[in-house]
Amino acid sequence: MKSAIILDLDGVICDTAHFHFLAWHRLAAEYGYELTHADNEQLKGVSRADSLTFILGLANKTLSPEQFQEDLHRKNEWYLELVKDMGPLEVLPGVPSFFAEVAARKIPLALGSASKNANMVLTRVGLIHAFNAIVDASQVTHGKPHPETFLKAADLLGIAPEKCLVFEDSAAGVQAAIAGGMNAIGIGTPEDLPGAIVHLRNLGEFDFSKYPL
Ligand code: B16
Ligand code: MG
């Protein structure tokens, strides 16, 4: 039976995880809290609203519902400003060769991202047409670590979950893949991404000959 690949976006295809960090760092500073890189590991793959709730907990701060929405909006405006000049060169190392290999092997490919900006970012880096299916935050009820994002991607591809290989840079995303009955490849360290079957620095390190796809 045919296998498929499901890719996360931020931190796997492009370095937008860093831009999310910068925008959250700026907002947290307004709350009197210095957001650390260790904090940020907990935010990767987590929805915008859940990320703000997490930061408010760290900063021991509460917001009115109106201010909460306003701060979500401001964070996103800062993020959009940071990504506005992104182009096809702004992909992580190994991405062009990985996509070339996927195309050459005709492997079904889906995106499974927690970002509402996924389509925009993929368009900017010129990769949107490489995907057979795209699932982003606007299409799911439950964000990562719930498996809905990846299960929906598998469903759109018409491939059984156990035949899908998920590439993730976030602990929440690796948990989501496992919860969906899929294998996860961690883009990061075993310490940050327990449960992944192998850990790589980037997509370029993936050895297609080792995995039957
Ligand atoms: P947005 P991914 C996730 O994307 C990011 O990892 C996470 O840091 C971000 O908060 C989330 O998207 C929501 O993004 O604010 O653009 O809707 O890694 O799942 O591709
Ligand atoms: Mg990610």
Side-chain angles (χ1 to χ4, degrees), residues 186-202:
I187 305 297
T189 65
E191 293 72 35
D192 288 333
L193 305 173
I197 57 169
V198 66
H199 296 84
L200 311 173
R201 271 176 303 186
N202 56 56

Side-chain angles (χ1 to χ4, degrees), residues 95-107 206-209:
V95 166
S97 60
F98 182 92
F99 274 74
E101 197 69 30
V102 169
R105 291 171 181 261
K106 297 188 170 45
I107 300 168
F206 182 67
D207 184 351
F208 284 85
S209 65

Side-chain angles (χ1 to χ4, degrees), residues 8-12 17 44-45 144 168-170:
D8 174 51
L9 175 64
D10 297 321
V12 170
K44 287 182 179 175
K144 303 168 188 177
E168 258 292 349
D169 72 318
S170 72

Side-chain angles (χ1 to χ4, degrees), residues 82-144:
L82 289 165
V83 301
K84 80 173 186 332
D85 295 326
M86 277 183 81
L89 295 179
E90 257 89 4
V91 289
L92 286 164
V95 166
S97 60
F98 182 92
F99 274 74
E101 197 69 30
V102 169
R105 291 171 181 261
K106 297 188 170 45
I107 300 168
L109 181 67
L111 186 85
S113 171
S115 175
K116 290 182 177 163
N117 295 301
N119 273 277
M120 179 271 292
V121 171
L122 277 184
T123 303
R124 290 259 164 92
V125 297
L127 289 172
I128 194 142
H129 299 299
F131 290 88
N132 304 109
I134 291 180
V135 179
D136 66 15
S138 67
Q139 292 152 263
V140 297
T141 310
H142 307 289
K144 303 168 188 177

Side-chain angles (χ1 to χ4, degrees), residues 39-62:
D39 296 332
N40 193 51
E41 282 304 318
Q42 309 297 312
L43 297 179
K44 287 182 179 175
V46 174
S47 75
R48 201 181 306 169
D50 287 350
S51 297
L52 180 53
T53 300
F54 182 78
I55 289 169
L56 289 169
L58 293 174
N60 203 13
K61 178 148 178 101
T62 50

